[in-house]
């Protein structure tokens, strides 16, 4: 049903609203520039689908898999991404506002050059994700794994990372990204050791 609704929207107004899609399986489908309003996706599988410039307003992805899909320049507002797998997905140059991400996996995902405003991210895995040149405004971060993530040119001033794992994150040589970031004592020691080039035993 979802694929037929997408085809209909593309030939009409590019708009889908107030619908529930459950257990859908889509592969290689072009979903670019569709607007979803108050739509819920539950246990859906998306393989190599193109969500370029797609918009999601007050919509929910729950227990879905969209790993390696393209969400470049997508727009999100008031939405939720819950217990989803987005490993390797491309969210670069996207705008994400007042949106919640919880219990999800976004390993190796690309969020570079995106804008995140008033977002909540809980219990998510962003290991080795690309988070460079992101504009962050008042995010809430709890139990997020940023191991090896790339924060190059992402200013973290005032961002509370104290409940997150930030081992091995990538920043510039000047480390300006970390100025004013909020970290716990253990994180501060590890970051200081990296700056000084010493090993802690």
């Amino acid at each position: 049903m979802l694929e037929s609704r997408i085809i209909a929207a593309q030939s009409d107004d590019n708009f889908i609203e107030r619908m529930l899609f459950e257990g859908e399986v889509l592969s290689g489908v072009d979903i670019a520039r569709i607007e979803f309003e108050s739509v819920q996706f539950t246990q859906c599988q998306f393989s190599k689908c193109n969500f370029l410039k797609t918009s999601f307003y007050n919509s929910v992805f729950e227990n879905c898999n969209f790993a390696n899909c393209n969400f470049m320049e997508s727009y999100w507002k008031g939405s939720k991404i819950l217990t989803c797998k987005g490993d390797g997905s491309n969210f670069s140059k996207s705008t994400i506002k007042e949106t919640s991400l919880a219990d999800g996996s976004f390993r190796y995902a690309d969020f570079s050059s995106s804008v995140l405003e008033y977002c909540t991210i809980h219990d998510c895995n962003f290991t080795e994700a690309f988070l460079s040149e992101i504009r962050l405004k008042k995010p809430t971060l709890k139990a997020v794994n940023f191991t090896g993530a790339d924060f190059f040119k992402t200013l973290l001033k005032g961002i509370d990372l104290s409940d997150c794992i930030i081992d091995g994150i990538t920043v510039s040589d000047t480390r300006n990204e970390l100025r004013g970031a909020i970290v716990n004592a253990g994180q501060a020691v590890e970051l200081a050791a990296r700056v000084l080039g010493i090993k802690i035993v």
Side-chain angles (χ1 to χ4, degrees), residues 28-48:
V29 176
D30 184 9
I31 312 173
R33 296 178 174 81
I34 301 292
E35 289 189 18
F36 293 93
E37 169 78 39
S38 300
V39 173
Q40 181 162 349
F41 304 90
T42 301
Q43 295 181 331
C44 294
Q45 305 283 325
F46 301 94
S47 175
K48 298 181 180 178

Side-chain angles (χ1 to χ4, degrees), residues 11-201:
S11 61
D12 188 9
D13 56 4
N14 275 6
F15 192 72
I16 298 174
E17 64 176 336
R18 292 191 294 274
M19 297 193 73
L20 167 64
F21 300 103
E22 187 169 4
E24 300 276 351
V25 179
L26 274 65
S27 180
V29 176
D30 184 9
I31 312 173
R33 296 178 174 81
I34 301 292
E35 289 189 18
F36 293 93
E37 169 78 39
S38 300
V39 173
Q40 181 162 349
F41 304 90
T42 301
Q43 295 181 331
C44 294
Q45 305 283 325
F46 301 94
S47 175
K48 298 181 180 178
C49 290
N50 180 25
F51 291 88
L52 175 70
K53 294 185 177 180
T54 299
S55 300
F56 300 92
Y57 301 91
N58 303 309
S59 294
V60 178
F61 282 83
E62 186 170 8
N63 291 305
C64 293
N65 185 341
F66 44 78
N68 300 310
C69 287
N70 178 24
F71 288 87
M72 278 187 67
E73 299 181 60
S74 57
Y75 183 90
W76 304 71
K77 186 171 182 181
S79 295
K80 296 180 180 180
I81 304 175
L82 310 173
T83 321
C84 290
K85 184 175 182 180
D87 297 342
S89 50
N90 186 352
F91 285 84
S92 63
K93 298 181 180 178
S94 293
T95 299
I96 307 173
K97 298 182 177 182
E98 300 161 24
T99 292
S100 299
L101 288 74
D103 300 308
S105 182
F106 298 90
R107 297 183 54 168
Y108 313 107
D110 186 356
F111 285 82
S112 59
S113 300
S114 290
V115 176
L116 279 75
E117 296 183 355
Y118 303 102
C119 291
T120 299
I121 305 177
H122 282 192
D123 298 291
C124 287
N125 187 352
F126 280 82
T127 297
E128 296 190 44
F130 297 93
L131 306 169
S132 58
E133 299 186 84
I134 285 180
R135 283 170 42 206
L136 290 169
K137 185 173 182 180
K138 297 187 181 301
T140 300
L141 306 173
K142 296 292 183 182
V144 184
N145 186 349
F146 288 119
T147 300
D150 182 357
F151 282 94
F152 184 71
K153 290 187 177 181
T154 293
L155 298 181
L156 299 170
K157 183 178 180 179
I159 306 300
D160 189 348
L161 298 167
S162 62
D163 194 48
C164 302
I165 300 172
I166 57 173
D167 298 347
I169 62 172
T170 298
V171 293
S172 62
D173 291 341
T174 63
R175 299 172 181 83
N176 284 334
E177 295 88 345
L178 296 169
R179 295 185 188 277
I182 300 170
V183 298
N184 62 42
Q187 292 168 330
V189 170
E190 192 271 338
L191 291 171
R194 287 179 59 190
V195 171
L196 297 172
I198 61 177
K199 291 183 179 181
I200 299 172
V201 295

